[in-house]
Amino acid sequence: EGKENPRLIRDYEVHQALATLPSGVQVTLIVDGCHAGHPLDRTSDHRFPAIGRGHVDYDKLRHHPVLPRFFELPQWRCQAPSPLALSLLRCQAVLWHACANHQFCVELPIDESPARGIFTYILMSAILKVDISAPCGHIFQEAQELTARLKGRWRLQQEMQFAYCQATT
């Protein structure tokens, strides 16, 4: 369901929802995908240029161990955010997302298993190692170390991203 006309949630829509939350509320956003945008503090109209991938030979990729994951939206048009979307948040919010805006998500056959998403594997492995109650900085450091180990084994060009809003201490 929804494959032909997916409902996209834009980063400024997430920001507008977060902007309604009072101080003292803590929010964790996990975006398992490329290009999470800028849903936290917004002081300007953040837009990222489209990243061209060139020609993609899907038949060739079907049995390749490194599988890119992306979503084509040929008819989708970017809409400008409303002026209300530009503000600092009062709540404490952190954002985890799969890669930098110039990268794309991949799946790998880690530990000889079927291909799985790198972001999910790294984030869950880091949380399990340092504990779910560990500060975000510790989880992120463990995630960076695991990413470095995977880069030694694969030609991985995906870096997990972590951001927090000004109200987060």
Side-chain angles (χ1 to χ4, degrees), residues 46-144:
H46 296 277
R47 295 195 190 214
F48 302 101
I51 306 297
R53 292 183 295 270
H55 172 72
V56 178
D57 185 346
Y58 293 99
D59 289 330
K60 188 175 184 179
L61 288 174
R62 185 169 290 123
H63 300 292
H64 195 275
V66 178
L67 301 174
R69 300 185 307 162
F70 35 77
F71 191 45
E72 294 289 349
L73 297 171
Q75 74 283 1
W76 187 65
R77 302 266 190 268
C78 182
Q79 297 175 345
S82 72
L84 298 175
L86 305 179
S87 64
L88 298 177
L89 298 178
R90 294 171 298 180
C91 67
Q92 296 181 4
V94 296
L95 167 66
W96 299 90
H97 58 103
C99 58
N101 288 319
H102 65 280
Q103 301 171 332
F104 61 87
C105 303
V106 298
E107 297 183 359
L108 292 171
I110 302 169
D111 302 331
E112 309 310 322
S113 65
R116 63 174 90 172
I118 290 296
F119 172 71
T120 304
Y121 175 81
I122 290 173
L123 182 60
M124 294 296 99
S125 297
I127 288 171
L128 289 171
K129 184 167 183 184
V130 300
D131 189 60
I132 188 75
S133 61
C136 290
H138 293 171
I139 296 170
F140 188 60
Q141 180 179 357
E142 179 59 34
Q144 287 178 312

